[in-house]
Amino acid sequence: MVVSLEGDAFARLYPREYYAKFVSQGMRPDGRVLTQERPISIVRDVVAGADCSALVKLGRATALAGIKLEVASPDDERPGEGSIIVQVELPPMCSASSRPGLVSPRAARLTEELGGLAESGALCDLAQLTHPGGRSVWVAYCDVYVLDADGSLSDVCLLATLAALQALRLPALEPEGAGGAAAPAPHDTPEGPAAPRALRLEPPLTPLTCGVFGGALVVDPTAEEEALMDALVCLRVNGDGQLAGVSKLGGSGLGREHLATAHMAAMRRHSALQGP
């Protein structure tokens, strides 16, 4: 017990030195090797009041995404597309650094990051959110709540958003009138049940947050590890395993060798999520 208490005290007083002792042996305080990610679990349709939802856990890091649909008129600048509007919340319960009544800079950054991906069509083809007649579109409001902010928030929030979109079913719409927008059709019509339509995500992006500590690459860091990193980035790979984007989250960024290793780790996560 004395040794454990001394170790805890050393970790609090000298966190970098404590962490460096593990990294020098290719390990981390939680028992993982440096390039090992945490287990991922995904559960869909967990919120009864949403049109669809998903709960994603990445180790202890947890995010809940819920989507509500609305019928709207198309935007004049993008008439052939619907829209996905993402809002990320970091409530006070998710971490000691979150405060009630204040907009978290991390929440603002995540909202901007996911909103940009949604607007660009990187999450799904926004043309799928249009009604065949062209005068109506779907707007999908996606609210993401971080329940435990234990690192790699870009990963867990994007995975939750994508999992919710995979569970989304667009209700059939009644035919558009001469001058108005369409409306959701009743569940049963004279011709038979109105079939909802799933979105095509072919296949979705896969994110992976990586950091660099003392020249060593650290995959999927926890919140405590992120605070110690010299550099922190989030990679995204597409369905072909190609690098689709890199977001710099802090520090100097990754060198070519570290970027190649991180890309390989992201491809492994992508393969594991897609299954055999």
Side-chain angles (χ1 to χ4, degrees), residues 87-91 94-95 97-99 101-111 153:
Q87 179 70 40
V88 180
E89 301 279 352
L90 271 71
C94 76
S95 74
S97 62
S98 295
R99 296 288 183 269
L102 298 176
V103 178
S104 165
R106 288 189 298 172
R109 177 184 61 78
L110 290 164
T111 295
L153 295 189

Side-chain angles (χ1 to χ4, degrees), residues 111-171:
T111 295
E112 182 179 1
E113 182 179 305
L114 291 179
L117 291 173
E119 186 176 1
S120 69
L123 302 185
C124 76
D125 181 3
L126 297 177
Q128 298 179 77
L129 296 173
T130 59
H131 182 57
R135 284 194 295 271
S136 300
V137 297
W138 287 109
V139 179
Y141 293 94
C142 180
D143 292 316
V144 183
Y145 296 92
V146 177
L147 305 182
D148 192 325
D150 190 27
S152 297
L153 295 189
S154 292
D155 300 9
V156 72
C157 289
L158 177 54
L159 290 172
T161 300
L162 290 169
L165 288 171
Q166 289 174 323
L168 181 62
R169 298 295 180 267
L170 300 176

